Amino acid sequence: MSDQLQRSLDALADPDSTHLLAGIQRGIEKESLRLNEEGKLAQTPHTRGLGSALTHDFITTDYSEALLEFITPVDTNIQSGLETLADIHTFTYQKLDDETLWCASMPCIVNGDEGIPVAEYGSSNVATMKKVYRLGLGHRYGRIMQTIAGIHYNFSMPEAFWDKCWEADGRQGERQDYITERYLGLIRNFKRHSWLLIYLFGASPAVCASFLRGNTDHDLQPFDGDARSLHMPYGTSLRMGDLGYNSSAQKDLTVCYNSLDRYVTTLRSAIMQPHADYAEFPSGQDGNYEQLNDSLLQIENEFYSPIRPKRVARSGETPLGALRRGGIEYIEVRCVDVNPFTPLGLDGEQIRFLDTFLLYCLLADSPDCDEADLARQTANMQAVVTRGREPGLNLQAAEGEQALTAMGQSLLQAMKPVAKLLDAANHESGYCNAVLDQRAKIDDPELTPSARILREMREKDLPFFRLAMAYSQEWAQHFRRRQLSTETQARFNDETQRSLTAQAELEAATDTESFTDYLNQFYDQYNHL
C-alpha cells in the first residue's frame, strides 16, 4: 500500500472524519431506446406526455428521437437515487402506449442510418444547435453508432470532505485548485485501472446482426447458424471498443489529465482547428448547417472518453469555459454498460463498488501520465473489451506483463480498506460485500454479465435480439405494474408542463437573434479561454 493511501486511510479512520464519506454525491444518466411492438427502433416522435426533451429536468433524448435519457438529481443516498430512477421509468411507461424500453447497450433491430431519426428539440437557437450537432455526429461516425446506450455515473465528494483534506495537506494554494488537482489524480488512476470495470460489468459481448449490416470491417464471429447474432467469444463490452464510442479520427488526439490547463488547451485546439476529413459537410455555407463546424470536435462532448472532468455550466457557457472559471466540480464515468438482468440497468451493489473504486482512485498515489503509461492504458482496455474472459490473458503493467487475474485481485485487495471505511461511514456492510462479489468474478469469469449473456443465448437457443427482447418485456411489465405516489405523480406532471412552457418561452425569445449569430457568439468564448 502506498504511503499516500495509508495516510489518507488513517486520517479518514478518525471518528471525526469517517462520517464525511456518507456525503458522497451521485447522479445517474441512463439511456434506453424506444421500441415498437415488433422490437424495431421506434419511428414515433418524443411524446408530448413526457414534456420537452430540451428543458425537462429528468427526461430528455440523446442522439436519436428514440433514444431516451433519464437523469436523476444529485443524491447522497444510494437507495433514494435508485428509487428516483425507478420513478422516472414508471412515469415514462405511463406515456409509451405499446412501446417498450430496450434493456441493453447494443441496440435492437435497426434498419441502417435511414431508420434512425435524429432528435428534435424545437425551433430555438439552443435547440437548433443540439440538432445540428447530432447531424454532424451522424455524418462523421454514422447514425447507427449513436443508437448504442450506456449509463453515465456522476460522482463528487462533499465540501466538508474537501475542507478536511485541504486542511490536512497544509492549505497549500487555492482551495479550488487543490480540489481540481485531486480530481485529476482520480482521473489518471481511473484511466489506469478502468479495464477492471469493463471486465466486471461489461454487458455487451454480442450484437444483433442488423447493427453490422453492410459492415465487414470487424472481427466478430457468428453466434448461431444463420448469423442472427455476432459476438466475441471472450468479449466483455463491445460498446467500449471499435464498434462503439471510439473514433478513428480521434485516435491521434492525446488528451492529458496531468493539468487542467493542458486538458482545456488540447480540447480547445481540437474544437478550433479545421479537420480536412470533415470539410465536405456543410457548416453554415449559405445558411446550410449539417454540422456545427468542420473541426476535429464540434464541441467538447464529441470527445469520446470513459471519464470526464465536469462543472455545471451557466446558461450559454461552454463546458471548457465552466472548468476554466471554477475548476473541476465532479467527474462523469461513461464506461458503464446497461445491465439487461436488472430493471434499471444497474443496482445498489454496482454503485457501492463504483464508489469504492472511485474513492480508491482519489486516495491512492497518482503520478503524472507519460506516453508509456497511455500506451499501456490503451492496450489493456482493448484487450479486456475483446478478450477479457480469455483464460490466461495478460495485461500490461509498468513492471511488464502480468496476468489479469493477479492484477485484478491485487486491485481489489487494495480497495478493501476503502470499502471498510465506506461501510463504517454508512453503518452497513454492503461495500465490503460488493468488493467480495467482484473477487468471485475474477476467480470465475462465468459470473460476469458478459458471460451470462452468451450462456443464456446458448442455453435458451436465442439470438441476442430475442434474449434482450425477453428481458425488455419483463422489465416493461415490472414498471407498468408499479405505482407512483400521489406526490411523485404530481411532481412529474408539473415538471412536464413546466418544461413545455420553458421551451415555448425559448422559442419566442429566439426571434431576435439569428442562429449564425448565436453560434458565432458561442464559439467566440473559446477565443478567451
Side-chain angles (χ1 to χ4, degrees):
M1 184 182 297
S2 69
D3 291 342
Q4 177 175 310
L5 179 58
Q6 188 61 63
R7 287 196 304 272
S8 298
L9 293 172
D10 290 343
L12 289 169
D14 186 295
D16 293 332
S17 302
T18 304
H19 72 280
L20 299 174
L21 300 180
I24 290 175
Q25 299 166 117
R26 312 167 185 86
I28 301 168
E29 304 167 22
K30 189 251 185 165
E31 299 164 344
S32 293
L33 290 168
R34 288 188 291 112
L35 318 179
N36 63 21
E37 290 182 277
E38 297 176 332
K40 297 180 180 178
L41 190 71
Q43 301 297 300
T44 52
H46 186 73
T47 175
R48 187 176 176 84
L50 294 177
S52 165
L54 179 67
T55 55
H56 201 289
D57 281 345
F58 312 124
I59 303 170
T60 183
T61 54
D62 200 321
Y63 177 82
S64 173
E65 190 78 343
L67 182 57
L68 288 171
E69 182 175 350
F70 301 149
I71 304 167
T72 68
V74 176
D75 202 325
T76 60
N77 182 278
I78 293 174
Q79 187 56 40
S80 65
L82 290 172
E83 284 292 326
T84 299
L85 186 58
D87 289 343
I88 298 172
H89 281 74
T90 302
F91 179 77
T92 299
Y93 265 110
Q94 294 177 2
K95 312 297 179 182
L96 286 189
D97 296 327
D98 295 327
E99 292 181 345
T100 301
L101 297 179
W102 187 243
C103 73
S105 278
M106 301 309 285
C108 55
I109 296 176
V110 289
N111 186 28
D113 279 7
E114 64 275 11
I116 301 168
V118 176
E120 300 282 351
Y121 298 97
S123 60
S124 66
N125 283 329
V126 64
T128 302
M129 184 173 176
K130 288 171 74 73
K131 173 71 177 289
V132 171
Y133 168 61
R134 285 157 174 76
L135 290 174
L137 293 178
H139 286 308
R140 294 169 179 221
Y141 315 110
R143 292 188 181 185
I144 200 162
M145 189 183 87
Q146 316 298 327
T147 61
I148 300 172
I151 294 175
H152 299 164
Y153 186 69
N154 300 314
F155 172 95
S156 64
M157 300 303 295
E159 291 298 314
F161 170 88
W162 290 122
D163 288 339
K164 187 80 173 181
C165 291
W166 188 48
E167 183 76 30
D169 285 339
R171 300 170 64 91
Q172 297 180 10
E174 295 294 327
R175 179 179 178 276
Q176 183 54 57
D177 291 342
Y178 171 83
I179 294 172
T180 292
E181 289 302 316
R182 293 296 301 272
Y183 275 132
L184 287 171
L186 183 161
I187 291 171
R188 291 193 297 273
N189 275 335
F190 181 95
K191 295 275 287 182
R192 293 180 178 109
H193 306 316
S194 56
W195 61 264
L196 180 63
L197 296 180
I198 303 302
Y199 173 86
L200 296 173
F201 300 110
S204 51
V207 297
C208 177
S210 67
F211 180 80
L212 290 169
R213 187 172 295 133
N215 176 9
T216 58
D217 186 21
H218 62 80
D219 296 322
L220 274 65
Q221 302 175 19
F223 183 85
D224 38 35
D226 52 4
R228 292 173 295 171
S229 303
L230 298 164
H231 77 304
M232 286 283 194
Y234 298 110
T236 58
S237 178
L238 301 181
R239 168 180 169 266
M240 294 302 298
D242 291 340
L243 292 180
Y245 281 94
N246 274 310
S247 160
S248 57
Q250 294 181 26
K251 296 249 184 235
D252 295 329
L253 179 61
T254 302
V255 175
C256 174
Y257 297 97
N258 291 339
S259 73
L260 183 62
D261 182 70
R262 179 78 177 275
Y263 175 80
V264 170
T265 300
T266 303
L267 286 188
R268 174 189 176 276
S269 177
I271 293 168
M272 298 296 287
Q273 295 182 6
H275 186 65
D277 290 349
Y278 301 147
E280 62 182 294
F281 310 123
S283 53
Q285 297 85 341
D286 300 322
N288 184 16
Y289 284 94
E290 292 288 324
Q291 60 181 349
L292 294 175
N293 63 26
D294 60 0
S295 298
L296 179 61
L297 303 178
Q298 298 174 88
I299 54 176
E300 298 90 325
N301 289 355
E302 191 173 339
F303 173 56
Y304 297 125
S305 175
I307 189 169
R308 284 179 183 163
K310 300 292 287 285
R311 170 166 287 276
V312 176
R314 295 167 178 168
S315 177
E317 185 179 33
T318 68
L320 288 182
L323 286 172
R324 181 75 87 187
R325 167 178 55 82
I328 301 174
E329 183 179 12
Y330 66 99
I331 60 99
E332 179 188 48
V333 175
R334 302 170 51 80
C335 62
V336 181
D337 281 356
V338 180
N339 185 344
F341 305 118
T342 63
L344 298 174
L346 83 170
D347 57 20
E349 179 180 285
Q350 185 172 352
I351 289 177
R352 285 175 175 85
F353 184 80
L354 286 171
D355 286 350
T356 306
F357 181 89
L358 293 169
L359 186 56
Y360 170 78
C361 289
L362 177 66
L363 298 179
D365 287 337
S366 185
D368 285 355
C369 286
D370 56 24
E371 289 187 7
D373 200 4
L374 295 174
R376 286 192 294 270
Q377 294 169 20
T378 300
N380 288 343
M381 180 65 78
Q382 177 67 16
V384 174
V385 161
T386 58
R387 301 185 290 124
R389 290 176 288 103
E390 181 178 277
L393 178 65
N394 288 331
L395 300 181
Q396 303 296 319
E399 302 80 10
E401 284 195 358
Q402 295 183 14
L404 178 150
T405 52
M407 290 176 65
Q409 294 292 11
S410 177
L411 262 176
L412 294 176
Q413 182 67 24
M415 291 164 56
K416 282 177 62 177
V418 178
K420 288 180 180 178
L421 281 176
L422 287 166
D423 276 338
N426 292 280
H427 308 289
E428 60 166 284
S429 59
Y431 289 90
C432 284
N433 290 338
V435 172
L436 187 63
D437 285 348
Q438 307 322 309
R439 292 182 73 99
K441 291 181 185 176
I442 298 289
D443 291 334
D444 184 1
E446 282 299 302
L447 298 176
T448 60
S450 57
R452 180 178 171 183
I453 288 173
L454 297 180
R455 184 171 64 253
E456 290 199 11
M457 289 170 60
R458 192 175 298 111
E459 291 175 350
K460 298 178 180 180
D461 193 24
L462 291 174
F464 167 73
F465 165 74
R466 289 297 173 195
L467 181 73
M469 190 66 188
Y471 278 106
S472 298
Q473 292 170 337
E474 179 180 343
W475 304 138
Q477 293 174 8
H478 167 81
F479 288 115
R480 290 189 191 280
R481 290 193 299 264
R482 192 172 179 273
Q483 298 295 312
L484 295 178
S485 69
T486 302
E487 295 78 11
T488 300
Q489 186 74 52
R491 179 162 59 98
F492 281 117
N493 289 338
D494 291 346
E495 176 57 22
T496 296
Q497 188 55 54
R498 185 209 63 78
S499 69
L500 293 169
T501 300
Q503 177 179 330
E505 291 173 350
L506 278 172
E507 291 173 349
T510 292
D511 292 341
T512 61
E513 181 181 31
S514 72
F515 177 64
T516 297
D517 288 342
Y518 173 85
L519 201 58
N520 288 338
Q521 290 179 25
F522 179 85
Y523 278 116
D524 186 55
Q525 296 178 71
Y526 295 107
N527 293 320
H528 306 288
L529 288 179

